[in-house]
Amino acid sequence: MERELILQKRKRLRIILNVAFLTLFFIFLSKADDFLDPYFIRILNVSAVYMTMAMAYNLVNGTLGQFMLGPNAFIALGAYTVALLTMPVQKKALAFIIQPLIWPLNSICLPFLPSLILAGIIGAVAAYLLGIPSFKLRGDYLAIVTLGFGEIMVVLASNLISVTNGALGLKDIPGYVNLYWTWGWAFFTYFFMRWLRTSSYGRAFEAIREDEIAAEAVGIDIKKHKLLALTLAGFFLGVGGGLLASLLGTIDPKLFSFFFTFNLLIIIVLGGLGSFTGSAIAAFIFVLLSEMLRSVESPMDIGPVHIPGIPGMRMVVFSLLLIFIMLYWQRGLMGRKELSWDFIINKIYPLKGVKDVGSATEA
């Protein structure tokens, strides 16, 4: 009885701490325009969008343990959905100069939120349809199938000119996105993934990751849970693509090449496969490093030696970082742990058997 009372107090304190943290953070965002320059605000926006996409990608690769290489496809679907639904009709007519945009896309313009939700739904439907045949395969074969799907989407984006405008891409996409949109979705994704991980579905995902045959032996429906994880990931990847399109204001097929998947792969490996906190932290580090490493792509003089700028050098640095992590630091920043308030809560309401960091459940 006393243990139940303490557990209730701990749960109540955790909710209070979460609400207090979110309140303080959104107060910081409300004041960010006053003391941060536009460049750093853009870094914060891009970081939050990458957080949303990385956590969704980690759900399949980390929590479920299925190696998937096609998140760029769902991101592209979300980005083009938001772009085509939010652009004014007049701008669409001006943008599609090679072939006119097909009906009904050429005559509709929706508000941002419904467009973003539709982007997520289209990403989820695509993920579900891809998952039906893909989950008949395991290991490297699944990675190859999803890699092929990603490349197919890039080819379609380049050649379906009457829908995507081909290689010209889409410009003047309305910029609805701000810090509230990007960080709001990042926090929503984070708390949803944390809740999912501690639910019966999350336990089933982890059981499949550890031993698929044993999970099936205890009654877990393997295909159903794999499809569920991939569909949820497709939804949040689609939403991330929609946020990215509105943030950048212009998209084209090259943006969604395999390099996008490679970037997300670096983030989830750096943060720790199976840790959503790690993915969020690593996404911020990745975006910050991408900006800091711009200098390595610019011409520089070291004494009498002139080194010309080499485009793409940042990716060389990130590739070396990925190789180093895979060889010597496979657990990444967080391993499979999540940050929690347990350190503070244990000081106020100590309870035997509860860990300080990364404990997923108390009961």
Side-chain angles (χ1 to χ4, degrees):
M1 188 65 183
E2 184 181 357
R3 180 181 173 85
E4 291 297 323
L5 184 62
I6 294 176
L7 284 172
Q8 289 180 5
K9 289 181 178 178
R10 292 172 64 92
K11 185 178 181 180
R12 195 178 305 124
L13 180 58
R14 179 174 283 103
I15 293 173
I16 292 172
L17 289 171
N18 282 333
V19 171
F21 172 76
L22 288 176
T23 303
L24 289 174
F25 192 83
F26 277 93
I27 289 174
F28 163 76
L29 293 183
S30 69
K31 303 294 183 186
D33 288 331
D34 298 333
F35 59 89
L36 293 178
D37 59 62
Y39 176 68
F40 196 75
I41 288 176
R42 189 171 182 81
I43 290 177
L44 287 178
N45 276 321
V46 175
S47 300
V49 174
Y50 266 84
M51 287 177 188
T52 300
M53 295 187 291
M55 287 186 280
Y57 190 36
N58 205 357
L59 177 64
V60 177
N61 277 33
T63 306
L64 187 64
Q66 302 296 306
F67 190 38
M68 191 259 285
L69 287 174
N72 56 322
F74 311 120
I75 294 167
L77 285 171
Y80 276 102
T81 300
V82 166
L84 290 169
L85 292 180
T86 58
M87 285 178 68
V89 174
Q90 296 83 358
K91 285 189 177 180
K92 292 179 191 176
L94 293 173
F96 285 74
I97 55 176
I98 300 177
Q99 291 183 20
L101 181 61
I102 62 171
W103 184 86
L105 294 173
N106 61 355
S107 58
I108 59 174
C109 180
L110 297 180
F112 183 57
L113 182 58
S115 303
L116 200 58
I117 299 298
L118 278 173
I121 292 172
I122 290 175
V125 171
Y128 180 81
L129 294 177
L130 176 66
I132 291 174
S134 297
F135 284 131
K136 294 179 180 177
L137 307 171
R138 296 180 184 177
D140 296 339
Y141 296 104
L142 175 64
I144 293 169
V145 169
T146 51
L147 173 64
F149 179 68
E151 292 305 305
I152 288 171
M153 291 307 300
V154 174
V155 172
L156 289 177
S158 300
N159 292 280
L160 287 178
I161 300 175
S162 59
V163 178
T164 64
N165 208 23
L168 294 178
L170 298 173
K171 300 177 177 60
D172 293 330
I173 302 168
Y176 293 105
V177 165
N178 54 28
L179 288 172
Y180 296 109
W181 279 105
T182 56
W183 284 93
W185 272 102
F187 276 115
F188 175 73
T189 307
Y190 178 74
F191 284 108
F192 177 83
M193 294 297 177
R194 289 290 302 271
W195 168 81
L196 183 66
R197 184 178 179 181
T198 57
S199 70
S200 60
Y201 292 104
R203 300 299 186 197
F205 295 160
E206 292 179 335
I208 293 171
R209 177 189 64 199
E210 297 302 325
D211 192 327
E212 198 166 317
I213 297 174
E216 192 170 19
V218 297
I220 294 175
D221 188 332
I222 304 296
K223 187 174 182 180
K224 171 189 163 185
H225 284 86
K226 284 183 177 180
L227 279 174
L228 176 63
L230 185 61
T231 304
L232 289 172
F235 177 83
F236 285 102
L237 288 168
V239 168
L243 292 171
L244 188 68
S246 182
L247 178 65
L248 298 180
T250 178
I251 57 173
D252 62 61
K254 290 181 181 177
L255 177 64
F256 306 106
S257 67
F258 178 72
F259 283 109
F260 211 120
T261 293
F262 184 67
N263 291 344
L264 292 179
L265 193 60
I266 291 173
I267 290 172
I268 64 172
V269 172
L270 175 63
L273 289 171
S275 171
F276 300 112
T277 307
S279 295
I281 296 172
F284 181 75
I285 293 174
F286 177 84
V287 173
L288 201 60
L289 276 178
S290 294
E291 295 300 317
M292 294 172 64
L293 289 173
R294 283 186 184 278
S295 58
V296 302
E297 297 184 353
S298 304
M300 63 180 73
D301 294 312
I302 302 177
V305 180
H306 175 74
I307 301 176
I310 304 175
M313 277 300 291
R314 283 184 295 175
M315 294 313 300
V316 174
V317 175
F318 283 123
S319 299
L320 293 174
L321 176 63
L322 181 61
I323 293 171
F324 174 80
I325 293 171
M326 295 304 293
L327 289 177
Y328 302 108
W329 198 29
Q330 296 177 2
R331 64 180 299 276
L333 291 171
M334 297 291 294
R336 291 176 180 171
K337 294 182 178 179
E338 307 284 358
L339 286 182
S340 73
W341 298 109
D342 285 347
F343 179 77
I344 297 173
I345 294 173
N346 282 341
K347 298 294 183 186
I348 301 174
Y349 299 116
L351 190 64
K352 189 177 180 181
V354 176
K355 297 177 182 178
D356 281 345
V357 177
S359 56
T361 59
E362 291 185 343

Coordinates of all heavy atoms in Angstrom, one line a residue, residues 266-348:
I266 N 23.5 8.5 -39.7 CA 24.6 9.0 -38.9 C 24.0 9.4 -37.5 O 24.6 9.1 -36.4 CB 25.3 10.1 -39.6 CG1 26.1 9.6 -40.7 CG2 26.3 10.8 -38.6 CD1 26.8 10.7 -41.6
I267 N 22.9 10.1 -37.6 CA 22.3 10.7 -36.4 C 21.9 9.6 -35.4 O 22.2 9.6 -34.2 CB 21.1 11.6 -36.8 CG1 21.6 12.9 -37.5 CG2 20.3 12.0 -35.5 CD1 20.4 13.7 -38.0
I268 N 21.2 8.6 -35.9 CA 20.6 7.6 -35.0 C 21.8 6.7 -34.5 O 21.7 6.2 -33.3 CB 19.5 6.7 -35.6 CG1 20.0 5.9 -36.8 CG2 18.3 7.6 -36.0 CD1 19.0 4.9 -37.3
V269 N 22.8 6.5 -35.3 CA 24.0 5.7 -34.8 C 24.7 6.5 -33.7 O 25.1 6.0 -32.7 CB 24.9 5.3 -35.9 CG1 26.2 4.6 -35.4 CG2 24.1 4.3 -36.8
L270 N 24.9 7.8 -34.0 CA 25.6 8.6 -33.1 C 24.9 8.7 -31.7 O 25.4 8.7 -30.7 CB 25.8 10.0 -33.7 CG 26.4 11.1 -32.8 CD1 27.9 10.7 -32.3 CD2 26.5 12.5 -33.4
G271 N 23.5 8.9 -31.8 CA 22.7 9.0 -30.6 C 22.6 7.7 -29.9 O 22.4 7.7 -28.6
G272 N 22.6 6.6 -30.6 CA 22.4 5.3 -29.9 C 21.2 4.7 -30.5 O 20.1 5.2 -30.4
L273 N 21.3 3.5 -31.1 CA 20.2 2.8 -31.7 C 19.2 2.3 -30.6 O 19.6 1.6 -29.7 CB 20.7 1.6 -32.5 CG 21.4 1.9 -33.8 CD1 22.0 0.7 -34.4 CD2 20.4 2.6 -34.8
G274 N 18.0 2.8 -30.6 CA 17.0 2.4 -29.6 C 16.8 3.5 -28.6 O 16.0 3.4 -27.7
S275 N 17.5 4.7 -28.7 CA 17.3 5.8 -27.7 C 16.8 7.0 -28.4 O 17.5 7.5 -29.3 CB 18.7 6.1 -27.0 OG 18.5 7.3 -26.3
F276 N 15.6 7.4 -28.1 CA 15.0 8.6 -28.7 C 15.6 9.8 -28.2 O 15.8 10.8 -28.9 CB 13.5 8.6 -28.5 CG 12.8 7.4 -29.1 CD1 12.2 6.4 -28.2 CD2 12.8 7.2 -30.4 CE1 11.6 5.3 -28.8 CE2 12.2 6.0 -31.0 CZ 11.6 5.1 -30.1
T277 N 16.0 9.8 -26.9 CA 16.8 11.0 -26.4 C 18.1 11.1 -27.2 O 18.5 12.3 -27.5 CB 17.1 10.8 -24.9 OG1 15.8 10.5 -24.2 CG2 17.7 12.0 -24.3
G278 N 18.8 10.0 -27.4 CA 20.0 10.1 -28.1 C 19.8 10.6 -29.5 O 20.6 11.4 -30.0
S279 N 18.7 10.2 -30.2 CA 18.5 10.7 -31.6 C 18.3 12.2 -31.5 O 18.7 12.9 -32.4 CB 17.2 10.0 -32.1 OG 17.5 8.7 -32.3
A280 N 17.5 12.7 -30.5 CA 17.3 14.2 -30.5 C 18.6 14.9 -30.2 O 18.8 16.0 -30.9 CB 16.3 14.4 -29.3
I281 N 19.4 14.5 -29.3 CA 20.6 15.2 -29.0 C 21.6 15.1 -30.2 O 22.2 16.1 -30.6 CB 21.3 14.5 -27.8 CG1 20.5 14.7 -26.5 CG2 22.7 15.1 -27.6 CD1 21.0 14.0 -25.3
A282 N 21.6 13.9 -30.9 CA 22.5 13.8 -32.0 C 22.1 14.6 -33.2 O 22.9 15.1 -34.0 CB 22.6 12.3 -32.4
A283 N 20.8 14.8 -33.3 CA 20.3 15.6 -34.4 C 20.7 17.1 -34.3 O 21.2 17.7 -35.3 CB 18.7 15.6 -34.5
F284 N 20.7 17.6 -33.1 CA 21.1 18.9 -32.8 C 22.6 19.0 -33.1 O 23.1 20.0 -33.7 CB 20.8 19.3 -31.4 CG 21.2 20.8 -31.1 CD1 20.5 21.8 -31.5 CD2 22.4 21.0 -30.3 CE1 20.9 23.1 -31.3 CE2 22.8 22.3 -30.0 CZ 22.0 23.4 -30.5
I285 N 23.4 18.1 -32.6 CA 24.9 18.1 -32.8 C 25.2 18.0 -34.3 O 26.1 18.7 -34.8 CB 25.5 16.9 -32.1 CG1 25.4 17.1 -30.6 CG2 27.0 16.8 -32.5 CD1 25.9 15.9 -29.8
F286 N 24.5 17.2 -35.0 CA 24.7 17.0 -36.5 C 24.5 18.3 -37.2 O 25.3 18.7 -38.1 CB 23.8 15.9 -37.0 CG 23.9 15.7 -38.5 CD1 24.9 14.9 -39.0 CD2 23.0 16.3 -39.4 CE1 25.0 14.7 -40.4 CE2 23.2 16.1 -40.8 CZ 24.2 15.3 -41.3
V287 N 23.3 19.0 -36.9 CA 23.0 20.2 -37.7 C 24.1 21.3 -37.3 O 24.5 22.0 -38.2 CB 21.6 20.7 -37.3 CG1 21.3 22.1 -37.9 CG2 20.6 19.7 -37.8
L288 N 24.4 21.3 -36.0 CA 25.4 22.3 -35.6 C 26.8 22.1 -36.3 O 27.4 23.0 -36.8 CB 25.6 22.3 -34.1 CG 26.1 23.5 -33.4 CD1 25.3 24.7 -33.7 CD2 26.2 23.3 -31.9
L289 N 27.2 20.8 -36.3 CA 28.5 20.5 -37.0 C 28.4 20.8 -38.5 O 29.4 21.2 -39.0 CB 28.8 19.0 -36.7 CG 29.5 18.6 -35.4 CD1 29.7 17.1 -35.3 CD2 30.8 19.3 -35.3
S290 N 27.3 20.5 -39.1 CA 27.1 20.8 -40.5 C 27.4 22.2 -40.8 O 28.0 22.6 -41.8 CB 25.7 20.4 -41.0 OG 25.5 19.0 -40.9
E291 N 26.9 23.1 -39.9 CA 27.2 24.5 -40.1 C 28.6 24.9 -39.8 O 29.2 25.7 -40.6 CB 26.2 25.4 -39.2 CG 24.8 25.2 -39.6 CD 24.5 25.6 -41.0 OE1 25.0 26.7 -41.5 OE2 23.7 24.9 -41.7
M292 N 29.2 24.3 -38.8 CA 30.6 24.7 -38.4 C 31.6 24.2 -39.4 O 32.6 24.8 -39.6 CB 30.9 24.1 -37.0 CG 30.1 24.7 -35.9 SD 30.3 23.8 -34.3 CE 32.0 24.1 -34.0
L293 N 31.2 23.1 -40.1 CA 32.1 22.5 -41.1 C 32.0 23.1 -42.5 O 32.7 22.6 -43.4 CB 31.9 20.9 -41.1 CG 32.4 20.2 -39.9 CD1 31.9 18.7 -40.0 CD2 33.9 20.3 -39.7
R294 N 31.2 24.1 -42.6 CA 31.1 24.7 -43.9 C 32.5 25.3 -44.3 O 32.8 25.4 -45.5 CB 30.1 25.9 -43.9 CG 28.7 25.4 -44.0 CD 27.7 26.6 -44.1 NE 26.4 26.2 -44.0 CZ 25.7 25.8 -45.1 NH1 26.3 25.7 -46.3 NH2 24.4 25.4 -45.0
S295 N 33.3 25.6 -43.3 CA 34.6 26.2 -43.6 C 35.5 25.2 -44.4 O 36.4 25.7 -45.2 CB 35.3 26.7 -42.4 OG 35.4 25.6 -41.5
V296 N 35.3 23.9 -44.2 CA 36.2 22.9 -44.8 C 35.9 22.8 -46.3 O 36.7 22.2 -47.1 CB 36.1 21.5 -44.2 CG1 36.5 21.6 -42.7 CG2 34.7 20.9 -44.4
E297 N 34.8 23.4 -46.7 CA 34.4 23.4 -48.2 C 34.8 24.7 -48.9 O 34.6 24.8 -50.1 CB 32.9 23.1 -48.3 CG 32.5 21.7 -47.8 CD 31.0 21.4 -48.1 OE1 30.3 22.3 -48.5 OE2 30.6 20.3 -47.8
S298 N 35.4 25.6 -48.1 CA 35.7 26.9 -48.7 C 37.2 26.9 -49.0 O 38.0 26.2 -48.3 CB 35.4 28.0 -47.7 OG 34.0 28.0 -47.4
P299 N 37.7 27.7 -49.9 CA 39.1 27.8 -50.2 C 39.8 28.4 -48.9 O 39.3 29.2 -48.2 CB 39.2 28.8 -51.3 CG 37.8 28.8 -52.0 CD 36.9 28.5 -50.9
M300 N 41.0 27.9 -48.7 CA 41.8 28.4 -47.5 C 43.3 28.4 -47.8 O 43.7 27.6 -48.7 CB 41.5 27.5 -46.3 CG 41.9 26.1 -46.4 SD 41.6 25.1 -44.9 CE 39.8 24.9 -45.0
D301 N 44.0 29.3 -47.1 CA 45.4 29.4 -47.3 C 46.1 29.0 -45.9 O 45.8 29.5 -44.9 CB 45.8 30.8 -47.6 CG 45.3 31.2 -49.0 OD1 45.5 30.4 -50.0 OD2 44.7 32.2 -49.2
I302 N 46.9 27.9 -46.0 CA 47.7 27.5 -44.8 C 49.2 27.9 -45.2 O 49.9 27.1 -45.8 CB 47.5 26.0 -44.5 CG1 46.0 25.7 -44.3 CG2 48.3 25.6 -43.3 CD1 45.7 24.3 -44.1
G303 N 49.6 29.0 -44.7 CA 51.0 29.5 -45.0 C 51.0 29.8 -46.5 O 50.1 30.4 -47.1
P304 N 52.0 29.2 -47.2 CA 52.1 29.4 -48.6 C 51.2 28.5 -49.5 O 51.2 28.6 -50.7 CB 53.6 29.1 -48.9 CG 54.0 28.2 -47.8 CD 53.2 28.5 -46.6
V305 N 50.6 27.6 -48.8 CA 49.8 26.5 -49.5 C 48.4 27.0 -49.6 O 47.7 27.4 -48.6 CB 49.9 25.2 -48.7 CG1 49.0 24.1 -49.5 CG2 51.3 24.7 -48.6
H306 N 47.9 27.0 -50.9 CA 46.5 27.4 -51.1 C 45.7 26.1 -51.4 O 46.0 25.3 -52.2 CB 46.4 28.3 -52.4 CG 45.0 28.6 -52.7 ND1 44.2 29.4 -52.0 CD2 44.2 28.1 -53.7 CE1 43.0 29.5 -52.5 NE2 42.9 28.7 -53.6
I307 N 44.6 25.9 -50.6 CA 43.8 24.7 -50.7 C 42.5 25.2 -51.3 O 41.7 26.0 -50.7 CB 43.6 24.0 -49.4 CG1 44.9 23.6 -48.8 CG2 42.6 22.8 -49.6 CD1 44.8 23.0 -47.4
P308 N 42.1 24.7 -52.5 CA 40.8 25.2 -53.1 C 39.7 24.5 -52.4 O 39.8 23.5 -51.8 CB 40.9 24.6 -54.6 CG 41.9 23.5 -54.5 CD 42.9 23.8 -53.4
G309 N 38.5 25.2 -52.4 CA 37.3 24.7 -51.8 C 36.9 23.4 -52.5 O 36.9 23.3 -53.7
I310 N 36.5 22.4 -51.7 CA 36.1 21.1 -52.3 C 34.7 20.9 -51.8 O 34.4 20.5 -50.6 CB 37.0 20.0 -51.8 CG1 38.4 20.3 -52.2 CG2 36.5 18.6 -52.4 CD1 39.4 19.2 -51.7
P311 N 33.6 21.0 -52.7 CA 32.3 20.7 -52.2 C 32.1 19.3 -51.8 O 32.6 18.4 -52.4 CB 31.4 21.0 -53.5 CG 32.3 21.9 -54.3 CD 33.7 21.5 -54.0
G312 N 31.4 19.1 -50.7 CA 31.1 17.7 -50.2 C 32.1 17.3 -49.2 O 32.0 16.1 -48.7
M313 N 33.1 18.1 -48.8 CA 34.0 17.7 -47.8 C 33.4 17.4 -46.4 O 33.9 16.6 -45.6 CB 35.1 18.7 -47.6 CG 36.2 18.7 -48.6 SD 37.1 17.1 -48.6 CE 38.0 17.2 -47.0
R314 N 32.3 18.1 -46.2 CA 31.6 17.8 -44.9 C 31.1 16.4 -44.8 O 31.2 15.7 -43.8 CB 30.4 18.7 -44.8 CG 30.7 20.2 -44.4 CD 29.4 21.0 -44.2 NE 28.7 21.1 -45.4 CZ 27.5 21.7 -45.4 NH1 26.9 22.1 -44.4 NH2 26.8 21.8 -46.6
M315 N 30.6 15.8 -45.9 CA 30.2 14.5 -45.9 C 31.3 13.5 -45.7 O 31.2 12.4 -45.1 CB 29.5 14.1 -47.2 CG 28.2 14.9 -47.4 SD 27.1 14.9 -45.9 CE 26.8 13.2 -45.7
V316 N 32.5 13.9 -46.2 CA 33.7 13.0 -45.9 C 34.0 13.0 -44.4 O 34.2 11.9 -43.8 CB 34.9 13.6 -46.7 CG1 36.2 12.8 -46.3 CG2 34.7 13.5 -48.2
V317 N 33.9 14.1 -43.8 CA 34.1 14.2 -42.3 C 33.0 13.3 -41.6 O 33.4 12.5 -40.7 CB 34.0 15.6 -41.8 CG1 34.1 15.7 -40.3 CG2 35.2 16.5 -42.4
F318 N 31.8 13.5 -42.0 CA 30.7 12.7 -41.4 C 30.9 11.2 -41.6 O 30.6 10.4 -40.8 CB 29.4 13.2 -41.8 CG 28.9 14.5 -41.2 CD1 28.6 15.6 -41.9 CD2 28.9 14.6 -39.8 CE1 28.2 16.8 -41.3 CE2 28.5 15.7 -39.2 CZ 28.2 16.8 -39.9
S319 N 31.3 10.9 -42.8 CA 31.6 9.5 -43.1 C 32.6 8.9 -42.2 O 32.5 7.7 -41.7 CB 32.0 9.3 -44.6 OG 31.0 9.8 -45.5
L320 N 33.7 9.6 -42.0 CA 34.8 9.1 -41.1 C 34.2 9.0 -39.7 O 34.6 8.1 -39.0 CB 36.0 10.1 -41.2 CG 36.7 10.2 -42.5 CD1 37.8 11.3 -42.5 CD2 37.4 8.8 -42.8
L321 N 33.4 10.0 -39.3 CA 32.8 9.9 -38.0 C 31.9 8.6 -37.8 O 32.0 7.9 -36.8 CB 31.9 11.1 -37.7 CG 31.1 11.2 -36.4 CD1 32.1 11.2 -35.2 CD2 30.2 12.4 -36.4
L322 N 31.2 8.3 -38.9 CA 30.3 7.1 -38.8 C 31.2 5.8 -38.7 O 30.9 4.9 -38.0 CB 29.4 7.0 -40.1 CG 28.5 5.8 -40.2 CD1 27.5 5.8 -39.0 CD2 27.7 5.8 -41.5
I323 N 32.3 5.8 -39.5 CA 33.2 4.6 -39.5 C 33.8 4.5 -38.1 O 33.8 3.4 -37.5 CB 34.3 4.8 -40.5 CG1 33.7 4.7 -41.9 CG2 35.4 3.7 -40.3 CD1 34.7 5.0 -43.0
F324 N 34.2 5.6 -37.5 CA 34.8 5.6 -36.1 C 33.7 5.0 -35.1 O 34.1 4.2 -34.3 CB 35.2 7.0 -35.7 CG 35.7 7.1 -34.3 CD1 37.0 6.7 -33.9 CD2 34.9 7.5 -33.3 CE1 37.4 6.7 -32.6 CE2 35.3 7.6 -32.0 CZ 36.6 7.2 -31.6
I325 N 32.5 5.5 -35.2 CA 31.5 5.1 -34.2 C 31.2 3.6 -34.4 O 31.1 2.9 -33.4 CB 30.2 5.9 -34.5 CG1 30.4 7.4 -34.1 CG2 29.0 5.3 -33.6 CD1 29.2 8.2 -34.5
M326 N 31.1 3.1 -35.6 CA 30.8 1.7 -35.9 C 31.9 0.8 -35.4 O 31.7 -0.3 -34.9 CB 30.5 1.5 -37.4 CG 29.3 2.2 -37.9 SD 27.8 1.8 -37.0 CE 27.6 0.1 -37.4
L327 N 33.2 1.3 -35.4 CA 34.3 0.5 -35.0 C 34.6 0.5 -33.5 O 34.9 -0.5 -32.9 CB 35.6 0.9 -35.8 CG 35.6 0.6 -37.3 CD1 36.9 1.2 -37.9 CD2 35.5 -0.9 -37.5
Y328 N 34.5 1.7 -32.9 CA 34.9 1.9 -31.6 C 33.9 2.4 -30.6 O 34.1 2.4 -29.4 CB 36.1 2.9 -31.5 CG 37.2 2.5 -32.4 CD1 37.5 3.1 -33.6 CD2 38.1 1.4 -32.1 CE1 38.5 2.8 -34.4 CE2 39.1 1.0 -32.9 CZ 39.3 1.7 -34.1 OH 40.4 1.3 -34.9
W329 N 32.7 2.8 -31.0 CA 31.7 3.4 -30.1 C 30.3 3.1 -30.5 O 29.5 3.9 -30.8 CB 32.0 4.9 -30.1 CG 31.4 5.6 -28.9 CD1 31.2 5.1 -27.7 CD2 30.9 7.0 -28.9 NE1 30.6 6.1 -26.9 CE2 30.4 7.2 -27.6 CE3 30.8 8.0 -29.8 CZ2 29.9 8.5 -27.2 CZ3 30.3 9.2 -29.4 CH2 29.9 9.4 -28.1
Q330 N 30.1 1.8 -30.6 CA 28.8 1.3 -31.2 C 27.6 1.7 -30.4 O 26.5 1.7 -31.0 CB 28.9 -0.2 -31.4 CG 30.0 -0.7 -32.3 CD 30.1 -2.1 -32.5 OE1 29.4 -2.9 -31.9 NE2 31.1 -2.6 -33.3
R331 N 27.7 1.9 -29.1 CA 26.5 2.3 -28.3 C 26.1 3.7 -28.5 O 25.0 4.2 -28.1 CB 26.8 2.0 -26.8 CG 27.9 2.9 -26.2 CD 28.1 2.5 -24.7 NE 26.9 2.8 -24.0 CZ 26.6 4.0 -23.5 NH1 27.4 5.0 -23.8 NH2 25.5 4.2 -22.8
G332 N 27.0 4.6 -29.1 CA 26.7 6.0 -29.3 C 26.6 6.8 -28.0 O 27.2 6.3 -27.0
L333 N 25.9 7.9 -28.1 CA 25.9 8.8 -26.9 C 25.1 8.2 -25.8 O 25.4 8.3 -24.6 CB 25.2 10.1 -27.3 CG 26.0 11.0 -28.3 CD1 25.2 12.2 -28.7 CD2 27.3 11.5 -27.6
M334 N 23.9 7.5 -26.1 CA 23.0 7.1 -25.0 C 22.8 5.6 -25.0 O 22.1 5.1 -24.1 CB 21.7 7.8 -25.2 CG 21.7 9.3 -25.1 SD 22.0 9.9 -23.5 CE 20.5 9.3 -22.6
G335 N 23.4 4.9 -25.9 CA 23.1 3.4 -26.0 C 21.6 3.2 -26.2 O 21.0 3.7 -27.2
R336 N 20.9 2.5 -25.3 CA 19.4 2.4 -25.4 C 18.7 3.1 -24.2 O 17.6 2.8 -23.9 CB 19.1 0.9 -25.4 CG 19.5 0.2 -26.6 CD 19.2 -1.3 -26.6 NE 19.6 -2.0 -27.8 CZ 19.6 -3.3 -28.0 NH1 19.3 -4.1 -27.0 NH2 20.0 -3.8 -29.1
K337 N 19.5 3.9 -23.5 CA 18.9 4.6 -22.4 C 18.2 5.9 -22.8 O 18.4 6.5 -23.9 CB 20.0 5.0 -21.4 CG 20.6 3.8 -20.7 CD 21.7 4.2 -19.7 CE 22.3 3.0 -19.1 NZ 23.3 3.4 -18.1
E338 N 17.3 6.3 -21.9 CA 16.6 7.6 -22.1 C 16.8 8.5 -20.9 O 16.9 8.0 -19.8 CB 15.1 7.4 -22.3 CG 14.7 6.4 -23.4 CD 14.8 6.9 -24.8 OE1 15.2 8.1 -24.9 OE2 14.6 6.2 -25.7
L339 N 16.9 9.8 -21.1 CA 17.0 10.7 -20.0 C 15.6 10.7 -19.3 O 14.6 10.6 -19.9 CB 17.3 12.1 -20.4 CG 18.8 12.3 -20.9 CD1 18.9 13.8 -21.2 CD2 19.7 12.0 -19.7
S340 N 15.7 10.8 -17.9 CA 14.4 10.9 -17.2 C 14.7 11.8 -16.0 O 15.8 12.3 -15.7 CB 14.0 9.5 -16.7 OG 14.9 9.0 -15.7
W341 N 13.6 12.0 -15.2 CA 13.7 12.8 -14.0 C 14.0 12.0 -12.8 O 13.9 12.4 -11.7 CB 12.3 13.5 -13.8 CG 11.9 14.5 -14.8 CD1 10.9 14.4 -15.7 CD2 12.5 15.8 -15.1 NE1 10.9 15.4 -16.6 CE2 11.8 16.3 -16.2 CE3 13.6 16.5 -14.6 CZ2 12.1 17.6 -16.8 CZ3 13.9 17.7 -15.1 CH2 13.2 18.3 -16.2
D342 N 14.3 10.7 -13.0 CA 14.4 9.8 -11.8 C 15.5 10.2 -10.8 O 15.3 10.0 -9.6 CB 14.8 8.4 -12.3 CG 13.6 7.7 -13.0 OD1 12.5 8.2 -12.8 OD2 13.7 6.7 -13.6
F343 N 16.5 10.9 -11.3 CA 17.6 11.4 -10.4 C 17.0 12.3 -9.3 O 17.3 12.2 -8.1 CB 18.7 12.0 -11.1 CG 19.8 12.6 -10.2 CD1 20.7 11.7 -9.7 CD2 19.9 13.9 -9.9 CE1 21.7 12.2 -8.9 CE2 20.9 14.4 -9.1 CZ 21.8 13.5 -8.6
I344 N 16.1 13.3 -9.8 CA 15.5 14.2 -8.9 C 14.4 13.5 -8.1 O 14.3 13.7 -6.9 CB 14.9 15.4 -9.7 CG1 16.0 16.1 -10.4 CG2 14.1 16.3 -8.8 CD1 15.5 17.2 -11.4
I345 N 13.6 12.7 -8.8 CA 12.5 12.1 -8.1 C 13.0 11.1 -7.0 O 12.4 11.0 -5.9 CB 11.6 11.3 -9.1 CG1 11.0 12.3 -10.1 CG2 10.5 10.5 -8.4 CD1 10.2 11.7 -11.2
N346 N 14.1 10.4 -7.2 CA 14.6 9.5 -6.2 C 15.1 10.2 -5.0 O 15.1 9.7 -3.9 CB 15.7 8.7 -6.8 CG 15.2 7.6 -7.7 OD1 14.0 7.2 -7.6 ND2 16.1 7.0 -8.6
K347 N 15.5 11.5 -5.2 CA 15.9 12.3 -4.0 C 14.7 12.7 -3.1 O 14.9 12.8 -1.9 CB 16.7 13.6 -4.5 CG 17.9 13.3 -5.3 CD 19.0 12.7 -4.4 CE 20.3 12.5 -5.2 NZ 21.3 11.7 -4.4
I348 N 13.6 12.9 -3.8 CA 12.4 13.4 -3.1 C 11.6 12.2 -2.6 O 11.1 12.2 -1.4 CB 11.6 14.3 -4.0 CG1 12.4 15.5 -4.4 CG2 10.3 14.8 -3.2 CD1 11.7 16.4 -5.4

